[in-house]
Amino acid sequence: EPEVTQTPSHQVTQMGQEVILRCVPISNHLYFYWYRQILGQKVEFLVSFYNNEISEKSEIFDDQFSVERPDGSNFTLKIRSTKLEDSAMYFCASSEELAGTYNEQFFGPGTRLTVL
Amino acid sequence: AQSVTQLDSHVSVSEGTPVLLRCNYSSSYSPSLFWYVQHPNKGLQLLLKYTSAATLVKGINGFEAEFKKSETSFHLTKPSAHMSDAAEYFCVVSDLGGGSYIPTFGRGTSLIVHP
């Protein structure tokens, strides 16, 4: 069964460093998403991506964040200068169509980012 | 605006007994509601979804949920818990309010199943 994969499973970095979190969505999916979950808090939407551009983003997704689909399979989230408060579990998701009222998103296992 | 409240952070049951995970929502529009499950080191998996069709929704692994508009609830139930049901469960609401589909997640309920 096709699934979304994410690498690495755990990333440790120093404050101020750049990190890139990688995701491989399901191959025939067209919409891609990033979410994060700070320990003990809710899963929060960050950004959605379609047709090589951002469709929607939350207030969390500021200038420190960027997303890219560098080739036909990978979808990346870059944090330019990490802060302590960026420590969280980051989930990638993909869907065949625009997720929302009727369409299912398929989630990856997550990357745990720890900023020291 | 939309919001979702999962009333219990932890629920503990014995194997073979019923499961009830509670979820209340708030929505300005006609919402769609979802339950996701997350097993350790796995991604979130869709259990079931309500999309304005039947109010009683059946999902995978014997779970079901009932949409009650008058109570703004979407509680998840299962008649008999299995050890494999032990996981984190998330209730999610999405209402396309203002043209945005951004879903809102609950804080999650950890289901503990005792032998």
Side-chain angles (χ1 to χ4, degrees):
Chain A
E1 185 176 330
E3 58 183 17
V4 177
T5 59
Q6 290 185 243
T7 55
S9 56
H10 192 188
Q11 173 90 47
V12 181
T13 189
Q14 295 290 326
M15 189 169 56
Q17 295 295 305
E18 175 184 286
V19 294
I20 297 176
L21 309 183
R22 302 180 192 280
C23 169
V24 179
I26 295 174
S27 61
N28 64 331
H29 286 186
L30 301 177
Y31 294 85
F32 314 111
Y33 315 85
W34 283 102
Y35 293 81
R36 79 172 185 190
Q37 184 182 27
I38 296 171
L39 188 63
Q41 298 187 26
K42 294 183 179 185
V43 175
E44 301 170 293
F45 171 82
L46 292 178
V47 67
S48 62
F49 190 86
Y50 170 71
N51 199 26
N52 284 321
E53 61 182 27
I54 291 173
S55 303
E56 197 158 6
K57 61 183 181 179
S58 69
E59 293 177 353
I60 303 167
F61 194 87
D62 61 21
D63 292 343
Q64 291 298 310
F65 291 90
S66 63
V67 289
E68 191 179 27
R69 188 154 163 83
D71 53 42
S73 59
N74 289 283
F75 179 51
T76 62
L77 174 69
K78 181 192 291 185
I79 308 174
R80 289 189 181 82
S81 177
T82 50
K83 305 171 193 156
L84 295 176
E85 54 265 35
D86 293 327
S87 295
M89 180 73 89
Y90 289 81
F91 293 103
C92 173
S94 68
S95 64
E96 288 183 3
E97 300 172 13
L98 183 63
T101 55
Y102 305 110
N103 300 307
E104 178 182 355
Q105 296 182 53
F106 291 81
F107 285 81
T111 292
R112 181 165 297 285
L113 176 65
T114 302
V115 182
L116 302 176
Chain B
Q2 62 191 26
S3 67
V4 60
T5 303
Q6 290 184 244
L7 297 158
D8 306 294
S9 58
H10 296 85
V11 170
S12 183
V13 300
S14 297
E15 191 175 20
T17 64
V19 175
L20 170 63
L21 305 183
R22 297 183 294 167
C23 173
N24 285 96
Y25 69 92
S26 172
S27 172
S28 302
Y29 301 83
S30 296
S32 287
L33 293 151
F34 308 79
W35 274 98
Y36 282 86
V37 61
Q38 184 184 25
H39 288 93
N41 301 315
K42 298 286 187 182
L44 290 87
Q45 179 186 19
L46 182 68
L47 275 179
L48 49 80
K49 61 183 177 184
Y50 166 76
T51 57
S52 73
T55 56
L56 182 63
V57 182
K58 294 188 184 298
I60 62 172
N61 301 335
F63 285 94
E64 61 182 39
E66 186 171 7
F67 174 72
K68 292 186 176 180
K69 186 175 181 178
S70 61
E71 298 177 11
T72 61
S73 69
F74 190 58
H75 301 333
L76 182 70
T77 60
K78 183 173 180 177
S80 176
H82 292 257
M83 295 297 293
S84 60
D85 294 327
E88 191 82 13
Y89 292 79
F90 295 93
C91 183
V92 182
V93 64
S94 176
D95 67 9
L96 286 182
S100 169
Y101 65 84
I102 294 176
T104 299
F105 281 71
R107 289 187 178 275
T109 298
S110 180
L111 177 63
I112 302 160
V113 182
H114 299 285

